[in-house]
Amino acid sequence: MKQISTVALNTFRESVRDKVLYNLVVAVLILIAASLLIGELSINQERKAMVDLGLSTLLLFGYLIAVFIGTGLVYKEIERRTIYTVLSKPLHRYEFILGKFFGLSLTLLVNCTVMLIALLVALFYVRRPTDPSPFGIIPAAFLLYVELLLATALALLFSSFTTPALATLFSIVSYLICNFTPDIKLFADVLNVETYPSLRVTQIVLWGLYYLLPNLHNFNFITRTAHGIPITGSQMALSCLYGVVYLSILLSLTLYIFERRNFK
């Protein structure tokens, strides 16, 4: 754990020094401030508009951080040739990858916390006596953070074997597909394979994508939270367990690929 925490802290420091990171945080704070204006324009819908926009903004900019920083974590070390110095020390490759993941996860946690606090302040500012407690958005924000951890793991997986440009492309495409997995299954179910037997292969492939890829809808409770519907403890537990399982799979694949990569 000492080696992993050292890599994680160095990764966190590098991310904090990245100017893009500060620009994203500033942009988020501006957008959350803009939600106050939108809320004022919505008659008796201030809270709903602000929660919807605020949590969506948290997810969007958190995802940008996860992808555009995560896809370059490994490649930067290879391009600068610092990977040879790092791995020549008493540091295993799996410790290096896990350290990178936890470092970026800490960066995301700090940024999501800043965004959440800003949104909470805005909600308290416009709160009406009949509105639910602003603290009710915390469970939804936490599940969005779990979703961002999955996006980070995906970005790290692709960055372990390809360039940042391709890793970014693969990450975005994978993220979009994971957001539409219920539609993929629906499309597979309605395929008329009895009339067109050639569609059977397509149906099997679509079913395979549905059952293999993580369903990110399990972490998105933005609409429910905006309408004041609380997230139950069982929903939280099942969503977190689902996220841990897929995180374990993605990180295991990343470690498997990185352990066998030749840097000569």
Side-chain angles (χ1 to χ4, degrees):
M1 289 302 298
K2 182 179 179 181
Q3 289 88 340
I4 294 175
S5 60
T6 300
V7 177
L9 289 175
N10 286 333
T11 303
F12 176 72
R13 294 191 192 99
E14 291 176 6
S15 300
V16 170
R17 286 196 296 264
D18 196 327
K19 293 182 180 180
V20 175
L21 204 59
Y22 290 110
N23 291 336
L24 290 175
V25 174
V26 171
V28 168
L29 295 177
I30 292 174
L31 284 176
I32 292 178
S35 69
L36 289 171
L37 176 61
I38 295 176
E40 291 296 332
L41 297 176
S42 304
I43 301 177
N44 297 326
Q45 296 292 320
E46 294 91 345
R47 182 188 183 278
K48 179 180 178 298
M50 290 173 58
V51 171
D52 201 346
L53 180 59
L55 291 179
S56 298
T57 302
L58 183 150
L59 178 61
L60 173 62
F61 283 92
Y63 179 72
L64 292 176
I65 293 172
V67 171
F68 289 103
I69 295 181
T71 52
L73 284 179
V74 177
Y75 186 81
K76 285 181 180 179
E77 302 288 351
I78 299 174
E79 187 180 33
R80 298 170 183 170
R81 299 187 179 278
T82 54
I83 189 70
Y84 303 105
T85 305
V86 172
L87 295 181
S88 65
K89 298 179 179 180
L91 179 73
H92 294 93
R93 292 193 180 194
Y94 78 87
E95 294 171 335
F96 174 77
I97 290 295
L98 291 179
K100 289 291 184 181
F101 173 76
F102 288 125
L104 185 52
S105 299
L106 179 59
T107 304
L108 281 171
L109 179 62
V110 170
N111 281 273
C112 288
T113 301
V114 171
M115 301 174 203
L116 179 60
I117 291 174
L119 180 56
L120 285 171
V121 170
L123 287 174
F124 273 109
Y125 177 75
V126 299
R127 187 185 183 191
R128 297 172 180 269
T130 56
D131 288 341
S133 172
F135 292 113
I137 69 171
I138 294 178
F142 176 76
L143 290 180
L144 291 180
Y145 174 69
V146 176
E147 180 179 340
L148 292 175
L149 292 183
L150 284 173
T152 303
L154 271 174
L156 196 58
L157 170 63
F158 294 126
S159 71
S160 65
F161 64 86
T162 188
T163 63
L166 287 176
T168 301
L169 176 62
F170 294 155
S171 298
I172 293 174
V173 171
S174 300
Y175 186 79
L176 290 175
I177 293 175
C178 291
N179 271 289
F180 289 99
T181 47
D183 298 311
I184 291 174
K185 185 178 185 299
L186 178 63
F187 182 68
D189 291 339
V190 300
L191 285 178
N192 192 354
V193 294
E194 295 181 359
T195 306
Y196 303 99
S198 59
L199 294 177
R200 174 64 68 179
V201 175
T202 303
Q203 187 181 56
I204 293 173
V205 170
L206 292 176
W207 277 341
L209 288 174
Y210 173 76
Y211 287 109
L212 288 175
L213 296 176
N215 182 0
L216 297 183
H217 280 279
N218 291 325
F219 308 100
N220 196 322
F221 290 83
I222 294 177
T223 302
R224 286 171 56 94
T225 305
H227 285 87
I229 304 173
I231 303 174
T232 64
S234 59
Q235 288 173 326
M236 283 286 295
L238 288 174
S239 296
C240 289
L241 178 61
Y242 186 83
V244 169
V245 170
Y246 271 99
L247 273 175
S248 302
I249 294 172
L250 291 173
L251 289 176
S252 297
L253 286 173
T254 304
L255 295 175
Y256 178 82
I257 294 171
F258 194 71
E259 285 282 356
R260 284 154 180 77
R261 184 165 180 179
N262 188 359
F263 295 107
K264 295 181 180 180

